Every structure is written in C-alpha cells, then in structure tokens.
Amino acid sequence: MDGKSLEPLSAFLILAPALEHAINKLGTNVSCPVDGGLDGFRLFQDANITGGGVKQSLRVIPEGIDMLMWVNEWSFTKTYDELEAFLANKTVDVGSVRTPPPKIIDETNLRVWLNQVWKESLPLSDLQAYPARIYFDRRRVKKAAMAASDLRFHPALNYIGANGKILGRYGALLALVRNNDGMPVSIHRTFLTKSGMKVDFLGRKNAPRKLTPAVNKQSKGRHIRFSRIGVDCVIGVAEGLETALAVTEATQIPVWPTISTSMLTSFMPPDGVNTVLIFADKDRNLAGEIAANTLTERLAEVGIKAITLMPPTPILESDTKGVDWADQLLRDLTDFRTSCSLVNSQVTRKIA
C-alpha cells in the first residue's frame, strides 16, 4: 500500500491536534488535552515510537491507538479506520480541541493575604523604610520614588525560594499592580537587605516570584500607577520600575511601569489619554522594540498616538540583555535630557 510510514507524533498532529502542546514538550507535564487539568498529562519521551503517555489522575496510556481513542473519544474501529486513511494519504476526520470550562477559583484567601500585606506596609518616608531609600538613592531615583503613588515598604516579608521553602524574612519594596481598569490585582515585590541591596540566594535559580498571584486574573493589563495623568493628557510607560522612575526623575514626565514586555503590549491607558510615550528597553534580542511596536499598533486602532523612545546609550559588552533608561540616567544624564526634550517637541506637534 502506497502511503507514509506510521510515526505516532505525525499521526497525532493530524488526527489529534489537542495533543500539539504535549508534542512540543515531550516528557514534560502540560495541561490535560481532555479536561484541562493543570500539569495533568504528558507524552513519554519515546512517544514517537510508542505513542504512549500518562494522564496522572487516570492511568498510563501505553501506545498510540489507545492514545487516539482516549483523546478523541473514538472507538477502536473508528481509530483504526482513520489511521488507515492517514497512512494512505486520504481525507481523515480530525479530533476536536476541547476548551475545558473555566475553573471557579475562590480568591477569598488570596484577597485577605494581599490586603494584609499592603496594610502592614509603610510609606517610604517611614524610619523603617531606610533600606528602600538607600536602594533608590543608589540608582539616583530617590526623589521620584519618594513622590510615587502605590509604592511602599514592608519591613519583614517572607522570602520564599523557587523550591517553595521560606529562606528568611526581609524588607521588601511593594508596588501595587493594577489592571487596565485601574483595579488592584497583585503586588510586585523587591526584597532588600538592610543595606539596600537586592536579596540574592543562589542567583536566579532560587529567586522568588516578584509578582504575587493575582486576583481577577482574567482581567487585561498589568501596570503600576506611580502618578496621576498629566494635564496634557500624556502618559509614559516603561517596562521596569527603575526605568519608569528614572524618566520621571530626569524629566518630571509621569511614567507607569508595566513590569514586562508582554504586559507592555497589553497596556491600555485610562479614558482621556491621547498620547502615550513608550520608554522602551534597548534589548539585544529586540524584545523591547518589538513590544513597543506592538503597543503602538494597538493604540492606533483606538485613536491614541504613541511615540517610542529608545535610550541613546550604546549596549556595552558588560550589558547582558541590553540597556534601558535607568542605565541612561546613570551613564549620561545630559544625553537623557536632550533625547527627552526632542520628545516634548514631538508631543506638542502630535497634540496640535
């Protein structure tokens, strides 16, 4: 019989597209293709030979025909017929990709904990917040930080490593994270030693999550509102906290950090804003520039103008990922202000 040889993964991609994510991550637990259970399923490393895998709460599924029967809810006869058609390069039926119903999550305990952490925090002017003041002073953004809204200090917060164990209690900078509707959903944490240095246990391998789990998780956008919108209806956005504070420190432009490039692309300003200044990171992999372009296109669709600014300072060999406006502030304040003055003239023209 003319046709193709049977490699289970090739057959799975055609007959059972619900398995695509598991195929791309052989040997790794992924969301179950049938019921969506978190980390509930995986294909074995040798799945392209055996077709086998395991549904953790159910059973081992040892071979390919059994796998197709389970994931597509097919009978043995149906599965055999479709495999025969696949091998003969004939038209086949394709199993559906099921979207499991969203799980109802009780956010009560998370809300209580987030509110408690925020309630226990102190303003940066408090005597106990001196590590935060040292931290920002070292980065030359102390003035902007002291004036920022939604930025506080917790004197003793559990530092939980990547392994889930508590490694100590440290002071922590807390920034209130809001969604695009302006509702608080999470807290961004930066753990500090008493001397104002970032806490570091074994580097990134044991770093804690900076963002706490979020309530109202399905809502769009994540950013920190350090200030009110300017009277000229212009707001700046940046990726990192220090980047946003650096721009405000040098120019007095209100800038909100969005925490990451992915969150930058999903940002949508409040009603009344007509221009967004994007203070993008200059990354070696161009991630910051790509994110800025994506946001620009999204804002244009709703009639909001955007201007992207890249830091003029060059990327040095010592810059692992690239440079941002916080680096620009530390390296060349004159060049920083020159660049931003050019932006002010662009904003004036755009608004006019």
Side-chain angles (χ1 to χ4, degrees):
M1 175 174 59
D2 291 336
K4 62 194 81 173
S5 61
L6 180 57
E7 294 181 347
L9 296 188
S10 298
F12 288 170
L13 283 171
I14 299 300
L15 300 175
L19 291 173
E20 182 177 1
H21 186 46
I23 291 170
N24 291 332
K25 295 195 173 184
L26 284 182
T28 302
N29 287 346
V30 298
S31 179
C32 176
V34 172
D35 61 24
L38 184 64
D39 293 342
F41 174 80
R42 73 176 181 274
L43 288 173
F44 296 142
Q45 288 280 8
D46 63 354
N48 204 33
I49 300 172
T50 66
V54 59
K55 163 68 174 171
Q56 292 186 352
S57 63
L58 181 65
R59 63 184 174 90
V60 170
I61 305 168
E63 48 82 32
I65 291 180
D66 196 12
M67 181 68 69
L68 286 172
M69 290 172 63
W70 171 71
V71 75
N72 285 345
E73 297 182 340
W74 284 349
S75 67
F76 175 81
T77 302
K78 171 71 172 175
T79 303
Y80 185 86
D81 289 344
E82 296 306 325
L83 277 172
E84 189 173 46
F86 168 76
L87 289 171
N89 290 318
K90 295 181 180 179
T91 302
V92 297
D93 284 343
V94 176
S96 61
V97 177
R98 292 183 289 280
T99 303
K103 293 186 177 181
I104 299 175
I105 300 175
D106 185 358
E107 297 180 340
T108 303
N109 291 336
L110 177 57
R111 288 182 182 275
V112 169
W113 177 70
L114 289 172
N115 284 324
Q116 183 65 29
V117 168
W118 194 253
K119 182 179 179 181
E120 293 170 353
S121 66
L122 308 167
L124 297 187
S125 57
D126 190 278
L127 182 63
Q128 294 184 69
Y130 69 89
R133 296 193 293 274
I134 296 173
Y135 176 82
F136 286 127
D137 191 43
R138 187 176 292 120
R139 286 159 175 75
R140 301 181 187 173
V141 295
K142 181 180 175 183
K143 182 178 178 181
M146 296 297 290
S149 304
D150 289 351
L151 186 61
R152 294 172 68 84
F153 180 80
H154 194 292
L157 200 60
N158 285 341
Y159 183 109
I160 301 176
N163 58 6
K165 295 182 180 180
I166 298 176
L167 301 179
R169 288 173 64 83
Y170 293 88
L173 283 169
L174 303 183
L176 191 63
V177 180
R178 300 176 183 270
N179 60 21
N180 282 341
D181 294 326
M183 301 300 296
V185 293
S186 181
I187 296 175
H188 183 281
R189 302 162 296 180
T190 303
F191 289 89
L192 300 176
T193 66
K194 291 182 178 180
S195 59
M197 302 293 290
K198 288 184 179 180
V199 175
D200 183 19
F201 278 101
L202 303 178
R204 298 183 64 179
K205 290 185 178 180
N206 210 26
R209 288 181 57 184
K210 289 187 176 182
L211 272 181
T212 66
V215 297
N216 197 8
K217 194 172 182 178
Q218 302 306 315
S219 62
K220 295 181 179 180
R222 297 290 185 268
H223 59 269
I224 301 162
R225 299 190 175 188
F226 278 158
S227 57
R228 295 182 179 181
I229 301 169
V231 294
D232 52 3
C233 300
V234 175
I235 190 71
V237 290
E239 182 179 336
L241 274 69
E242 286 98 348
T243 303
L245 291 171
V247 177
T248 300
E249 181 83 18
T251 68
Q252 287 72 58
I253 296 173
V255 182
W256 295 351
T258 61
I259 306 169
S260 69
T261 51
S262 62
M263 295 180 187
L264 179 70
T265 62
S266 65
F267 175 75
M268 186 59 63
D271 292 343
V273 172
N274 58 35
T275 304
V276 174
L277 306 179
I278 307 172
F279 292 89
D281 291 359
K282 185 192 289 183
D283 298 315
R284 291 186 183 277
N285 63 4
L286 303 181
E289 188 173 354
I290 292 170
N293 292 339
T294 302
L295 178 57
T296 298
E297 293 174 1
R298 288 187 61 248
L299 293 177
E301 292 174 358
V302 294
I304 298 175
K305 301 178 180 68
I307 301 172
T308 296
L309 297 93
M310 306 293 293
T313 190
I315 298 176
L316 307 178
E317 283 190 26
S318 57
D319 298 320
T320 305
K321 292 178 60 179
V323 293
D324 56 31
W325 286 94
D327 298 315
Q328 184 69 54
L329 179 65
L330 292 174
R331 296 178 184 179
D332 191 343
L333 179 59
T334 302
D335 209 3
F336 192 122
R337 287 175 173 162
T338 300
S339 298
C340 290
S341 65
L342 293 175
V343 172
N344 286 333
S345 63
Q346 290 185 55
V347 170
T348 302
R349 290 199 302 270
K350 290 246 181 188
I351 293 175

